[in-house]
Amino acid sequence: MLKAVKIFLVLLFLTLVLLFSLLFSGIKIDSFSLGNLNVSQFYIKLNKKLIVEIEQIAYKSRKSKENKGSFESLKQSLELFPNIIKYFETIYIERLKLKDNEFTIFLDDKSLYLDSKYLNLSSKLDFQGSRVILDMYSLYLKDIELMLDGKISVDYFEEKLNYYGEYFYHDLQGDIKLDMDKKLARFYINSDDFKSLRFIKKYADLSLVAESWMYDNVKGDIKLDFLYGQIDLEKKRLIERSLYGKAQVKKAKIKFHKDLEPIITKRVDLDFDNGNLIFDLKEPKYANMDINGSTVVIRNLTSQENGVVNVNIKSKKIRLNNDILNILKAYKINLPVNQISGYTRADLLLEIPYKLDKGMRTTGLFEVFDSNIKIGDFDFYTKDARVILDGPIVKLRDADFKYLDLVQSEVNMDLDTRTLKASGIVDIDKLLIESKKEEILKIQKSLSDLELDFNDPIKIDLVDFDSSITIDENINIRIDDLSKLYKNSEVLKAYNISEGNLSIKYVNNDFIDFKGFIKGIDYPVYEDEKQVTSLDIVGQIRKDRVAIQSKDNKVKISTNNKSTDIYLKDFYVDLTKFDDNSSNSENSVLNIKGESLRLKVDEKSIYDLNSLSAKVLSKEDIQFSADVKNLDLPIKKDDKKVTSLSINGNVTKDKVSIETKQRDLFLTTKANEELTLDLNGYDLLYSSKNEGEEKANKFKKIDIKAKNSTLIYNDEFRFLGDTYEVSALDKKVFFHLKHNSTDITYKEDNGKVDIFANDIDDEFINELFGKKIFKGGKVMFVANGDVDSKLSGKVILSNTKIEDLAVINNLLIFIHSSPALINPLLAIPSVVGMASKKGFNLNGYRIVDGVIEFDYDRKKDIINAHKIVTVGNGIDFDGKAIVDLDNSTINSDMKLIFFKDYSSIVSSVPVLNYVLLGENKRVSTKVNIFGDINNPKIKTNLTKDAFSVPLNIGKRILESPAKFLEFLGDGSKEESTKESE
């Protein structure tokens, strides 16, 4: 037994010696596992204390993960450090995975670096009993985005943390003192200048109203003098009631409402205490008005139920204009006044609860002095008045009221701003309506109950007079019972009107309207083919003019000793029956305005007009402006026929001048023989069917100039034009058109025609024929001959592609589907050549060079293209065609020369060129194109040629020895020649 014990002790001693030997030299283990713990790249060495380096430690816990945040993470981490330092000299763990967190740790007895999901810490260390002192380089709390530096004292036994230093939070920085235990953090901070308190939003649960004042309504450079508060660490929320502080906002802009201009202040002092935030405004101005003494107080800032914003606006001298009224309007209080002049002492209080369903309360007193007040379009003067605002009710007291020389009175009334209706009493000192000649209505020293409606238009009811006044841009007076005002009106007395009703429109003493009935009108104006002789009218009294109009507003006539004005609607007017006697004086001018009229100008000319404005100085001098409809003009705009125009014009004895109001069309005729037309943006229509009528046209000379215009021939052919001009005089015609590079000239002189068109591009041609025929390249066209008989000309094509032409398309389809292309001796090289050089294919035919010579018989409407030659990359054409334009048919004989790549290769090989190509050394065939030009038929011997190729080749093979000997003989002759030389 003793022997066994001795052996065990020896073995234990040797094991310990071996272990310590290994520790002093260092132990490295790639990986190992202990339960839920996995370790990789583990290294340990014993110096004075243990040195440990680990690449990764992963601990898998079966418990659900906990999100304890940066404060708890920091506290738990620091509690371990004193115990660890007792035994370890250095610990470096590159990756430590615990639950949902991951750490990087470096620790020795002097410094600490710790990085995790929630924080990053770099600091010196000082261990004092149960406390750890961190002299930090930096501490970044990631989940609240707060950077700190300074000193932290952590008592891990008492679970307390104290911090003194600086903080950096977004654009906010300053000094901070922080005391923190397990549940609560207390902070005391100040700051440098910053822009917004919005950083508090994620920690404070405020109402939308309070948030707008805290974060949005006040702009400027904010500086915290101090701010004290507490944070609930368990709920991660700011304890609002703990907040107490003072701040300043320099060069502040304060908005009462998002739709209003801001208040500009030199400074705002903010004081937050006991849940109330007080804004003390220094030298405030609103819309350049001094509102010194104004304040904003947010009471119960953090209470959703009891929070309220009090805005108190004060001023000793402002105006009740839109600047102030818009404040009320923003809060749905409509005060229907606008102070134009004078001044007002104002004291306005707005109480805005957080819960808007409680209703906002407004109170105020406005004392108005020596002012012009405007209500709607109604402008009056008051010497003094008191306006008391009590919620939605506005009380007007002892208000002196004066309107021009019309009304002088004193008013007391109450106005409900929700309905804009009021009631009260008016003491009329004077109400006078008069013209230059006589009094129309006069009331003095009378009381009346008063009912008012300030909705648009403003309406005033004088109850005791059965009368009402409506105010818009004028004063409109309606008297329902004239007997009550008979004694007050000289006009009623003069015409003995003691009963009935009257409507008066009063602008001023020189502008008064009233309703009535007249008959005996003698003007050449007709309705339903009957001359208008009587009307229900509205009369007008002017300084020097009398005017009448029908109640349906279809007729208005006004006259004085200088002019007669007539307005007509839905009438037929015969201008030929107006003469100098139609007006009051031989020097009178006739002005005619109208809508939806038929106007007879002379025995042949009748026009339908949407509107008309004409000044008839005499029959031979008429100036007019009109919207003409139902026109039949040879012009289009935006591809629509122009049937109406807005024009200005002038008619004299031998000249008519017309221009559109947009000044894009000008038309002048002289003595019914000359016509000048300028167009910009209009398309001009020309029809050959009307040529006979045009020759009988009364105009001997025509000049047309156009910009950005298309000339449309027979509604089919469209000639694009940046500019073009047409001149016609007697039997001479000149036409010149330019579009991009296209330049066309047409000259006609005594029946002889010359046409020259150069550099015609594909856009011009494709638009001309209404389809995409050409792509790229240029075309030149020349022709000359007789207008009425024959034209001869030439078309030259250069480097262009024909894409959408039925004749070519049908021919190409026919060729591609022909058995000739199946011949392996011919088809393969030719098809390769056409594809590689982009010659002809089913998408079109490219022409390198081409010429068409033709004659055009105008009487028969036939084009004889007696020469058609084209050179392409895959196929050449050589032939002729006759096109009958009248019947839209074509008859063409054409020789096709194709498979040129194959021919060129074979032709360079002696004897073989004869065997495969024959004497002409090319492959060609003939086609006949005939029928409808839009879908022509093709007839050809291409199939026959294809099937005969093998026989011809066989025949030429039998003949080839002779050709070969001939070739050799030619070669011998050439060598003999060289030797003799």
Side-chain angles (χ1 to χ4, degrees):
M1 180 68 180
L2 180 61
K3 184 178 180 180
V5 170
K6 290 180 179 180
I7 292 171
F8 172 75
L9 291 174
V10 170
L11 291 174
L12 177 62
F13 175 75
L14 292 174
T15 301
L16 291 175
V17 170
L18 178 63
L19 178 62
F20 276 96
S21 299
L22 290 174
L23 284 175
F24 277 111
S25 61
I27 300 173
K28 184 174 182 181
I29 304 174
D30 288 339
S31 64
F32 63 88
S33 298
L34 294 173
N36 294 331
L37 187 70
N38 294 315
V39 180
S40 61
Q41 298 301 318
F42 176 85
Y43 175 77
I44 186 168
K45 181 178 180 180
L46 180 63
N47 194 14
K48 295 180 181 179
K49 298 179 182 180
L50 291 173
I51 297 172
V52 176
E53 294 181 5
I54 303 173
E55 182 179 289
Q56 179 174 297
I57 301 176
Y59 176 73
K60 296 181 180 179
S61 175
R62 296 179 181 178
K63 296 181 181 180
S64 61
K65 63 181 181 179
E66 298 182 36
N67 185 355
K68 295 185 177 182
S70 54
F71 287 107
E72 185 65 19
S73 179
L74 176 64
K75 182 175 73 64
Q76 289 183 350
S77 300
L78 296 178
E79 287 175 354
L80 300 173
F81 295 154
N83 294 324
I84 293 173
I85 292 301
K86 289 179 181 179
Y87 305 105
F88 291 88
E89 180 179 338
T90 302
I91 296 177
Y92 174 65
I93 303 175
E94 185 176 341
R95 297 178 67 188
L96 171 60
K97 294 184 178 181
L98 297 176
K99 297 180 183 179
D100 67 325
N101 206 343
E102 183 174 314
F103 298 81
T104 298
I105 301 173
F106 176 83
L107 176 68
D108 61 18
D109 59 348
K110 294 182 180 180
S111 61
L112 167 66
Y113 175 82
L114 174 65
D115 184 73
S116 74
K117 179 178 179 180
Y118 300 106
L119 59 87
N120 179 281
L121 172 65
S122 178
S123 176
K124 296 179 180 179
L125 289 176
D126 184 12
F127 298 96
Q128 300 177 3
S130 64
R131 288 195 310 154
V132 178
I133 308 297
L134 286 83
D135 188 358
M136 297 185 301
Y137 299 107
S138 69
L139 170 61
Y140 182 54
L141 305 181
K142 296 180 181 179
D143 54 345
I144 59 174
E145 299 179 322
L146 178 66
M147 175 74 78
L148 302 171
D149 65 16
K151 289 190 176 183
I152 295 179
S153 172
V154 180
D155 190 325
Y156 53 87
F157 184 77
E158 296 290 338
E159 294 189 339
K160 291 183 179 180
L161 182 149
N162 301 103
Y163 167 67
Y164 305 89
E166 293 183 304
Y167 67 92
F168 304 88
Y169 184 82
H170 296 283
D171 65 338
L172 184 67
Q173 68 180 67
D175 300 323
I176 183 172
K177 178 180 179 182
L178 178 66
D179 297 319
M180 186 172 70
D181 55 28
K182 187 174 183 180
K183 296 182 178 181
L184 193 67
R186 303 170 187 85
F187 63 88
Y188 180 95
I189 65 174
N190 59 25
S191 79
D192 297 334
D193 289 349
F194 63 98
K195 294 295 182 183
S196 173
L197 290 168
R198 187 170 288 274
F199 70 92
I200 299 176
K201 186 174 182 178
K202 67 192 304 184
Y203 304 105
D205 185 14
L206 303 178
S207 75
L208 294 176
V209 175
E211 282 187 350
S212 64
W213 279 95
M214 286 288 290
Y215 312 137
D216 301 318
N217 290 7
V218 181
K219 303 292 184 182
D221 295 329
I222 306 173
K223 181 179 181 180
L224 282 176
D225 296 330
F226 67 88
L227 177 65
Y228 170 80
Q230 298 177 358
I231 298 174
D232 187 327
L233 296 178
E234 293 181 337
K235 296 181 179 179
K236 295 184 180 180
R237 301 296 296 175
L238 181 71
I239 302 174
E240 292 91 349
R241 283 289 179 182
S242 68
L243 286 174
Y244 170 64
K246 291 182 181 292
Q248 299 178 24
V249 185
K250 300 174 184 177
K251 297 180 181 179
K253 294 182 179 180
I254 303 174
K255 283 204 128 187
F256 293 144
H257 191 278
K258 63 182 179 61
D259 297 330
L260 298 175
E261 292 185 31
I263 291 176
I264 307 299
T265 69
K266 182 178 180 181
R267 189 180 81 245
V268 177
D269 289 342
L270 298 176
D271 192 345
F272 185 78
D273 187 16
N274 198 28
N276 299 325
L277 181 61
I278 301 169
F279 296 74
D280 186 8
L281 313 183
K282 304 299 182 182
E283 301 179 19
K285 288 190 176 183
Y286 177 75
N288 292 321
M289 293 183 298
D290 186 353
I291 55 169
N292 204 22
S294 300
T295 60
V296 177
V297 178
I298 305 179
R299 302 193 183 280
N300 304 311
L301 174 68
T302 60
S303 173
Q304 296 280 2
E305 185 66 29
N306 301 315
V308 62
V309 179
N310 289 342
V311 180
N312 188 200
I313 302 173
K314 291 184 177 183
S315 179
K316 294 181 179 179
K317 195 172 184 179
I318 62 169
R319 285 185 184 169
L320 277 176
N321 55 19
N322 287 334
D323 294 327
I324 295 299
L325 297 176
N326 283 341
I327 298 176
L328 297 173
K329 190 174 182 180
Y331 294 103
K332 299 182 180 180
I333 299 173
N334 294 313
L335 194 59
V337 299
N338 191 5
Q339 186 177 0
I340 306 301
S341 63
Y343 69 95
T344 297
R345 286 199 294 262
D347 189 348
L348 174 65
L349 177 63
L350 307 175
E351 297 182 10
I352 310 165
Y354 285 3
K355 289 192 172 182
L356 297 179
D357 57 357
K358 289 186 175 182
M360 189 185 81
R361 178 169 174 75
T362 58
T363 57
L365 174 62
F366 301 93
E367 296 180 276
V368 183
F369 301 96
D370 195 23
S371 301
N372 281 93
I373 304 294
K374 195 169 186 178
I375 301 178
D377 293 321
F378 183 52
D379 191 346
F380 65 91
Y381 170 82
T382 183
K383 184 177 180 181
D384 55 69
R386 288 187 301 129
V387 180
I388 301 169
L389 182 62
D390 185 8
I393 305 301
V394 176
K395 300 176 181 179
L396 186 64
R397 295 293 181 262
D398 304 324
D400 177 68
F401 177 90
K402 183 180 180 181
Y403 178 71
L404 301 176
D405 294 325
L406 181 66
V407 181
Q408 178 73 51
S409 64
E410 185 178 283
V411 178
N412 287 273
M413 67 176 184
D414 292 345
L415 169 67
D416 189 333
T417 59
R418 295 166 296 190
T419 62
L420 293 181
K421 293 183 178 181
S423 60
I425 297 175
V426 59
D427 185 355
I428 301 174
D429 184 54
K430 181 184 70 170
L431 189 156
L432 177 63
I433 301 175
E434 63 180 348
S435 68
K436 294 270 184 178
K437 298 180 180 179
E438 54 192 345
E439 293 179 352
I440 297 173
L441 181 64
K442 184 177 182 180
I443 301 174
Q444 289 182 305
K445 305 297 181 183
S446 298
L447 285 172
S448 177
D449 287 337
L450 189 65
E451 299 289 338
L452 299 100
D453 186 343
F454 288 100
N455 291 288
D456 188 22
I458 299 168
K459 186 178 180 182
I460 303 171
D461 288 331
L462 299 173
V463 179
D464 291 76
F465 294 101
D466 274 350
S467 301
S468 64
I469 302 172
T470 302
I471 302 170
D472 42 36
E473 66 272 12
N474 304 306
I475 297 178
N476 304 288
I477 303 171
R478 180 178 176 83
I479 304 169
D480 293 326
D481 188 354
L482 287 174
S483 64
K484 291 189 177 183
L485 293 173
Y486 179 79
K487 64 180 181 179
N488 301 102
S489 174
E490 295 299 324
V491 170
L492 296 180
K493 291 177 182 178
Y495 292 96
N496 197 26
I497 303 173
S498 58
E499 293 181 349
N501 57 66
L502 182 69
S503 294
I504 300 172
K505 176 183 175 182
Y506 179 89
V507 179
N508 55 52
N509 288 340
D510 293 328
F511 198 114
I512 302 170
D513 297 345
F514 61 90
K515 293 183 180 180
F517 177 80
I518 63 170
K519 64 179 181 179
I521 301 172
D522 186 18
Y523 283 97
V525 178
Y526 302 84
E527 185 176 24
D528 298 329
E529 299 183 358
K530 294 181 180 179
Q531 188 175 5
V532 177
T533 59
S534 63
L535 292 170
D536 287 317
I537 57 92
V538 174
Q540 299 174 342
I541 300 173
R542 299 291 185 269
K543 181 178 180 180
D544 56 358
R545 179 181 288 266
V546 177
I548 59 174
Q549 68 184 48
S550 64
K551 287 186 178 180
D552 59 8
N553 289 324
K554 287 187 175 182
V555 178
K556 297 178 184 179
I557 302 173
S558 178
T559 183
N560 60 13
N561 61 347
K562 293 183 179 180
S563 65
T564 298
D565 298 331
I566 299 177
Y567 169 81
L568 302 169
K569 182 179 181 181
D570 299 328
F571 285 104
Y572 174 80
V573 182
D574 189 350
L575 286 181
T576 63
K577 294 185 178 181
F578 279 101
D579 55 32
D580 292 338
N581 295 325
S582 299
S583 53
N584 297 333
S585 169
E586 64 182 21
N587 296 322
S588 177
V589 174
L590 178 62
N591 297 308
I592 301 174
K593 292 187 177 181
E595 298 178 55
S596 301
L597 301 179
R598 286 179 60 80
L599 191 66
K600 184 175 181 180
V601 178
D602 53 40
E603 293 303 322
K604 295 182 179 180
S605 303
I606 299 176
Y607 297 100
D608 290 334
L609 309 179
N610 281 325
S611 65
L612 170 70
S613 177
K615 177 184 282 189
V616 183
L617 301 173
S618 69
K619 285 186 176 182
E620 297 176 351
D621 191 358
I622 302 173
Q623 301 170 2
F624 65 90
S625 175
D627 292 330
V628 190
K629 61 180 181 178
N630 298 327
L631 291 171
D632 185 17
L633 298 174
I635 56 175
K636 281 186 174 183
K637 189 165 184 133
D638 299 327
D639 210 29
K640 294 181 181 179
K641 190 77 178 290
V642 175
T643 59
S644 61
L645 286 174
S646 296
I647 61 173
N648 296 318
N650 180 249
V651 178
T652 61
K653 182 178 180 180
D654 59 356
K655 181 180 178 181
V656 177
S657 299
I658 295 173
E659 66 178 41
T660 58
K661 292 180 180 179
Q662 294 81 12
R663 297 184 64 80
D664 54 9
L665 186 151
F666 299 86
L667 174 67
T668 303
T669 64
K670 293 182 181 179
N672 291 326
E673 292 185 351
E674 298 182 11
L675 180 144
T676 302
L677 177 63
D678 281 4
L679 301 168
N680 189 347
Y682 291 91
D683 297 335
L684 189 62
L685 308 179
Y686 178 79
S687 175
S688 61
K689 297 178 183 179
N690 299 328
E691 288 180 349
E693 298 176 11
E694 291 172 2
K695 288 181 180 178
N697 196 300
K698 57 186 177 181
F699 297 112
K700 296 180 180 180
K701 181 180 180 182
I702 298 176
D703 286 311
I704 300 174
K705 293 183 179 180
K707 294 180 180 179
N708 305 313
S709 174
T710 298
L711 182 61
I712 303 173
Y713 180 75
N714 286 345
D715 282 330
E716 183 177 3
F717 301 104
R718 300 170 60 87
F719 294 82
L720 295 177
D722 296 333
T723 63
Y724 62 81
E725 58 180 305
V726 181
S727 297
L729 177 62
D730 295 330
K731 295 183 179 182
K732 294 182 179 181
V733 178
F734 174 79
F735 171 76
H736 182 225
L737 178 146
K738 298 188 81 172
H739 176 73
N740 295 334
S741 63
T742 303
D743 192 315
I744 300 175
T745 302
Y746 174 95
K747 293 181 180 179
E748 181 181 330
D749 189 353
N750 291 313
K752 298 295 183 180
V753 175
D754 282 303
I755 306 172
F756 179 76
N758 192 30
D759 283 343
I760 309 174
D761 59 20
D762 53 0
E763 180 188 10
F764 185 87
I765 296 175
N766 293 337
E767 183 68 20
L768 175 63
F769 292 102
K771 59 171 63 177
K772 193 173 182 181
I773 297 174
F774 283 88
K775 182 177 180 181
K778 298 293 183 182
V779 177
M780 186 171 73
F781 177 91
V782 292
N784 56 65
D786 298 321
V787 174
D788 299 322
S789 57
K790 183 179 179 181
L791 284 178
S792 298
K794 180 185 294 187
V795 179
I796 301 174
L797 308 170
S798 176
N799 194 28
T800 187
K801 183 179 181 182
I802 301 177
E803 290 192 335
D804 187 13
L805 191 61
V807 174
I808 296 296
N809 293 345
N810 287 10
L811 183 58
L812 297 181
I813 292 172
F814 187 87
I815 293 171
H816 274 265
S817 61
S818 171
L821 294 180
I822 302 173
N823 191 311
L825 293 175
L826 302 175
I828 294 174
S830 64
V831 172
V832 171
M834 287 184 285
S836 63
K837 295 190 177 181
K838 298 181 180 179
F840 81 96
N841 52 49
L842 292 179
N843 294 323
Y845 169 53
R846 178 170 298 282
I847 297 174
V848 178
D849 290 298
V851 64
I852 301 172
E853 296 180 2
F854 68 91
D855 294 321
Y856 171 54
D857 190 328
R858 176 156 186 168
K859 292 180 180 180
K860 295 180 180 180
D861 210 12
I862 291 176
I863 297 176
N864 180 8
H866 49 79
K867 180 180 180 180
I868 302 174
V869 177
T870 67
V871 177
N873 281 343
I875 186 170
D876 297 343
F877 288 87
D878 186 355
K880 58 186 177 180
I882 295 177
V883 180
D884 190 330
L885 297 176
D886 190 33
N887 298 317
S888 296
T889 60
I890 184 172
N891 190 355
S892 173
D893 291 321
M894 197 69 60
K895 181 180 289 185
L896 278 64
I897 304 167
F898 54 100
F899 301 157
K900 297 194 299 179
D901 291 292
Y902 181 68
S903 302
S904 63
I905 294 170
V906 174
S907 64
S908 63
V909 180
V911 182
L912 184 60
N913 61 11
Y914 168 74
V915 171
L916 297 180
L917 301 179
E919 293 287 349
N920 295 327
K921 298 182 182 180
R922 66 181 185 181
V923 179
S924 65
T925 191
K926 293 182 179 180
V927 297
N928 176 231
I929 305 167
F930 61 96
D932 187 349
I933 195 169
N934 294 313
N935 188 21
K937 298 178 180 178
I938 310 295
K939 182 179 179 182
T940 182
N941 59 356
L942 188 62
T943 303
K944 178 182 176 182
D945 290 345
F947 286 115
S948 66
V949 164
L951 294 176
N952 293 333
I953 289 176
K955 180 182 177 181
R956 288 193 291 271
I957 286 174
L958 295 176
E959 296 175 352
S960 61
K963 291 289 182 180
F964 183 68
L965 292 174
E966 183 181 332
F967 168 75
L968 291 177
D970 290 341
S972 299
K973 290 179 182 179
E974 289 179 3
E975 289 178 0
S976 299
T977 304
K978 290 180 180 179
E979 288 176 359
S980 63
E981 289 177 352

